[in-house]
Amino acid sequence: MQLQVMNSPFNQEQAELLNRLLPTLTESQKVWLSGYLAASQSASSVSVQDVPAAEQSTAAVSVQSISKDVTILFGSQTGNAQRLAESTGKTLKEQGFNVTVASMNDFKPNNLKKVENLLILVSTHGEGEPPDNAISFHEFLHGRRAPKLENLRYSVLSLGDSSYEFFCHTGKEFDQRLEELGGTRLYQRVDCDLDFDEPAAEWVEGVLSGLNEGTGGGTTATPTSIPQVTETTYSRTNPFKAEILENINLNGRGSNKETRHLELSLEGSGITFEPGDSLGVYPENDPALVDMLLDEMKWNSEEKVTVNKQGEVTLKEALTSHFEITVLTKPLVEKAATLSGNDELKKLISAGNENKLKEYIDGRDLLDLIRDFGPWNTSVQEFVSILRKMPARLYSISSSLTANPEEVHLTIGAVRYDAHGRERKGVCSILCAERLQPGDSLPVYIQHNQNFKLPADPDTQIIMVGPGTGVAPFRSFMQEREEVGSEGKSWMFFGDQHFVTDFLYQTEWQKWLKDGVLTRMDVAFSRDTDEKVYVQHRMLEQSKDIFQWLQDGAVVYICGDEKHMARDVHNTLIEIIEKEGNLSREKATEYLAVMQQNKRYQRDVY
């Protein structure tokens, strides 16, 4: 690269000298020179001749005031933050940094005061809570034992979903707390929505620039070193079109529910997965809802609009396949207000109206927004530009690849409900329930989840709690353990509304019990008794045996609804440990926390 006078502080003669010198330098000479220049700002009398040639490499190191060691910690529930952390680590290593990548759960907090460069990549779970493998580190950092960190430089990449009230809350907490403890940001925090690739790439470039400023060496990341979450040919950004082999309703006639069992072909894809992983599915919006939007706005469905890297597509295709139209988020409503002539909408997003905005967003979609706050004096392109990309839906895989080569199975509950005078439908679940037939295809990818895995030792005891569609990963667990001939005892807790109509995969569970693949099974059907009985009630009935299994080293797994079921089961486990272990509530809570840290308590909750 030739230095140009017009965009540099050098005159013509200096530029020519530099252009002759720079191509002749070795990499070690460039490193030394950058260090020398950095040092010369505070010691202008030093000259190159002052340093013997044999000591030049040592001198280069001495003028680099900041360590090239970087620690990357991730907190991840579904695996996105982990994969981004690993790819960021790879990028930094290519730039000459010494990188350590670790789960927050595996990092010894007392070592934090030894760290000079820290990168945090963390998702936000549930209602603004840290993911399971970040809980202990989060508590330490916010506790009284957290050290002063005046020598720390750090940056935070936060992953979240802007449709939730506490968007990226955990990342914001880490960022603020590290500053409170004396740390200095080497690059500002970046908060990512579901479509995180581009902002994450910009963050990595910013971090590299910040790190290099301190070390006096290295180069800025180029677009080729941007981290991509790709492990196979097919990925989140390049999904595989999987053909549907089977699509059946698991519920019996008369059930209040509809649960679809889908079997998809992975033939020719090379895709692999393990029990505990999830399948990402890119759905299409309901054609009827798309038509209502087009009619409401009096738009021409064939008008062309630009959609990111896909280029131009028809407006109908954009609204069907590329954009989310069933969920309102605060950022979307704020952007929409700039396109509307409606004063009420501007009032809704104004300061002090946060609760009213939250109340309005709940249960409404884009069609509601358009109907409630016109007129919309804007072009079609301007309007679609404010919409969020269609996010993939993640489903726990309900099959073992060992047992079903080149196939993947899903268990999907159809979502239908009424809100604000209209019937609402789950985008992906109703696509599967009403519009997909064998022979059709779905764009899919594997979401690997290292935080929800069978024990490495197949003889380890396992306890599984999965009511409703939470049964999905445990079907894959059982298929896998049957295939490998596992000798470890297994215990399943399943629940739903009615035994007759809602016992998902009943014949398979009965066969596993008969064959000894499954050791025990307890069921709870809440609508078959006068008093509602749930899985946590069945667990309390078996508290003595459960605690004995825990003492014998069993791993506990929970899958399903996070807000209610998972919290109830969590509290029930603490109650069982407290009672059967004759422990205080505090000690019982600590017992379960240690299990979680040792990967003996794993959750796949949503």
Side-chain angles (χ1 to χ4, degrees):
M1 183 179 75
Q2 290 288 306
L3 183 69
Q4 302 295 322
V5 176
M6 68 183 69
N7 58 6
S8 77
F10 302 105
N11 61 36
Q12 184 69 42
E13 183 181 357
Q14 290 171 322
E16 288 176 359
L17 285 168
L18 285 169
N19 282 330
R20 287 201 301 271
L21 173 65
L22 291 174
T24 69
L25 298 180
T26 66
E27 286 302 313
S28 61
Q29 287 172 326
K30 289 176 184 176
V31 170
W32 186 92
L33 183 61
S34 63
Y36 164 76
L37 292 172
S40 66
Q41 292 178 7
S42 57
S44 56
S45 61
V46 176
S47 67
V48 177
Q49 287 83 358
D50 292 331
V51 185
E55 298 175 9
Q56 286 183 5
S57 60
T58 306
V61 174
S62 67
V63 297
Q64 292 182 8
S65 58
I66 303 295
S67 169
K68 295 275 285 188
D69 295 334
V70 181
T71 298
I72 302 178
L73 299 181
F74 61 84
S76 183
Q77 195 72 31
T78 63
N80 284 330
Q82 178 174 349
R83 279 188 298 283
L84 279 174
E86 290 167 351
S87 58
T88 300
K90 183 180 178 183
T91 297
L92 264 59
K93 284 177 183 176
E94 290 170 354
Q95 298 290 323
F97 291 91
N98 308 314
V99 184
T100 300
V101 181
S103 163
M104 292 180 185
N105 212 26
D106 297 331
F107 180 76
K108 292 181 179 178
N110 289 332
N111 289 337
L112 190 59
K113 52 180 174 279
K114 303 174 187 175
V115 175
E116 291 185 52
N117 298 306
L118 175 66
L119 303 181
I120 294 278
L121 296 92
V122 66
S123 61
T124 294
H125 190 53
E127 300 299 309
E129 298 157 5
D132 287 354
N133 65 352
I135 291 173
S136 58
F137 183 69
H138 183 270
E139 289 177 350
F140 170 82
L141 206 64
H142 288 80
R144 299 177 66 179
R145 295 185 179 180
K148 293 297 180 184
L149 301 170
E150 286 91 350
N151 296 323
L152 179 75
R153 300 194 311 154
Y154 72 94
S155 186
V156 176
L157 182 72
S158 186
L159 302 183
D161 180 344
S162 61
S163 65
Y164 284 83
E165 180 181 1
F166 299 101
F167 174 59
C168 287
H169 184 70
T170 302
K172 293 172 184 176
E173 286 186 321
F174 274 120
D175 186 48
Q176 181 181 343
R177 183 58 175 160
L178 289 170
E179 182 183 41
E180 290 171 356
L181 294 171
T184 303
R185 290 182 188 86
L186 59 86
Y187 189 69
Q188 74 268 20
R189 185 189 78 247
V190 171
D191 297 333
C192 302
D193 206 345
L194 297 176
D195 184 29
F196 53 75
D197 294 280
E198 289 183 13
E202 290 172 9
W203 176 78
V204 172
E205 290 198 52
V207 162
L208 267 168
S209 179
L211 288 168
N212 286 325
E213 282 177 18
T215 60
T219 56
T220 303
T222 62
T224 56
S225 59
I226 290 172
Q228 294 294 329
V229 185
T230 55
E231 295 172 35
T232 62
T233 305
Y234 296 102
S235 65
R236 195 175 71 87
T237 52
N238 181 35
F240 174 71
K241 288 194 174 180
E243 181 184 346
I244 297 170
L245 304 173
E246 293 283 350
N247 184 354
I248 61 175
N249 184 6
L250 293 175
N251 297 97
R253 187 175 298 171
S255 173
N256 297 321
K257 296 185 172 186
E258 181 179 356
T259 309
R260 309 303 300 193
H261 171 78
L262 264 69
E263 298 182 3
L264 297 96
S265 171
L266 299 177
E267 186 176 359
S269 68
I271 288 175
T272 61
F273 61 87
E274 296 177 340
D277 290 339
S278 297
L279 191 75
V281 179
Y282 284 105
E284 291 187 347
N285 286 310
D286 185 346
L289 181 60
V290 171
D291 287 342
M292 283 192 280
L293 277 170
L294 292 168
D295 184 61
E296 187 69 31
M297 295 292 278
K298 302 294 187 285
W299 281 334
N300 176 2
S301 64
E302 297 303 309
E303 184 173 342
K304 293 293 179 70
V305 293
T306 301
V307 178
N308 307 311
K309 296 173 183 176
Q310 279 82 16
E312 284 195 341
V313 299
T314 66
L315 177 58
K316 185 160 189 172
E317 183 184 341
L319 293 175
T320 300
S321 304
H322 297 290
F323 292 117
E324 181 178 68
I325 62 175
T326 59
V327 175
L328 293 183
T329 66
K330 183 181 177 182
L332 172 61
V333 176
E334 289 172 342
K335 290 173 186 173
T338 66
L339 304 179
S340 170
N342 191 300
D343 291 335
E344 286 300 310
L345 181 55
K346 291 177 172 61
K347 184 178 176 183
L348 185 65
I349 65 166
S350 62
N353 279 338
E354 288 82 4
N355 288 336
K356 285 185 179 179
L357 177 58
K358 179 185 172 185
E359 184 181 324
Y360 178 78
I361 285 173
D362 186 35
R364 287 187 170 90
D365 63 14
L366 187 61
L367 182 60
D368 293 310
L369 184 71
I370 287 173
R371 287 176 171 173
D372 293 343
F373 297 111
W376 301 92
N377 303 315
T378 180
S379 71
V380 170
Q381 183 64 58
E382 277 183 314
F383 199 91
V384 299
S385 295
I386 72 171
L387 301 180
R388 190 164 71 163
K389 279 186 189 177
M390 174 75 81
R393 272 54 175 180
L394 287 178
Y395 295 102
S396 302
I397 293 172
S398 56
S399 61
S400 156
L401 193 62
T402 311
N404 304 275
E406 296 196 309
E407 287 185 17
V408 61
H409 302 175
L410 298 179
T411 309
I412 301 175
V415 177
R416 299 181 181 90
Y417 61 96
D418 290 321
H420 309 292
R422 276 176 48 215
E423 183 186 10
R424 315 284 167 157
K425 298 178 177 181
V427 177
C428 194
S429 67
I430 299 306
L431 168 67
C432 294
E434 297 181 359
R435 304 198 302 277
L436 289 182
Q437 306 294 330
D440 294 336
S441 64
L442 276 175
V444 303
Y445 65 93
I446 298 296
Q447 180 95 331
H448 297 292
N449 186 359
Q450 296 306 316
N451 303 314
F452 200 77
K453 282 285 172 281
L454 278 167
D457 181 357
D459 294 338
T460 302
Q461 297 177 183
I462 61 173
I463 298 173
M464 303 164 286
V465 185
T469 54
V471 74
F474 305 129
R475 180 177 184 260
S476 76
F477 280 17
M478 287 294 96
Q479 287 186 355
E480 183 78 6
R481 279 168 76 107
E482 182 177 34
E483 285 295 316
V484 302
S486 168
E487 297 291 330
K489 292 197 294 184
S490 53
W491 192 348
M492 178 70 194
F493 287 88
F494 173 76
D496 215 312
Q497 291 188 354
H498 299 283
F499 173 85
V500 174
T501 58
D502 306 320
F503 195 162
L504 306 182
Y505 303 113
Q506 179 184 356
T507 56
E508 294 183 29
W509 292 113
Q510 289 173 334
K511 183 179 183 299
W512 283 322
L513 276 169
K514 181 183 175 184
D515 295 345
V517 178
L518 181 65
T519 311
R520 298 179 64 166
M521 186 169 195
D522 283 85
V523 295
F525 293 98
S526 59
R527 305 302 194 273
D528 285 348
T529 52
D530 292 337
E531 287 189 29
K532 291 182 179 178
V533 178
Y534 298 110
V535 285
Q536 63 267 25
H537 299 126
R538 294 294 184 230
M539 292 174 70
L540 281 172
E541 291 170 3
Q542 307 293 341
S543 65
K544 188 173 183 179
D545 286 351
I546 287 177
F547 185 70
Q548 187 58 58
W549 279 48
L550 298 186
Q551 290 290 85
D552 291 342
V555 181
V556 178
Y557 299 90
I558 300 174
C559 181
D561 168 53
E562 196 255 349
K563 270 190 180 178
H564 304 290
M565 182 278 296
R567 291 187 182 183
D568 289 340
V569 169
H570 180 86
N571 291 329
T572 298
L573 282 168
I574 293 173
E575 191 176 335
I576 288 171
I577 294 164
E578 180 183 10
K579 174 188 171 187
E580 303 299 340
N582 196 26
L583 300 171
S584 66
R585 187 78 175 181
E586 184 181 1
K587 288 294 182 184
T589 302
E590 189 179 314
Y591 183 108
L592 193 58
V594 171
M595 280 185 57
Q596 193 164 42
Q597 203 156 5
N598 294 333
K599 297 180 173 60
R600 287 186 50 219
Y601 176 41
Q602 301 182 26
R603 309 191 312 159
D604 179 12
V605 295
Y606 35 84

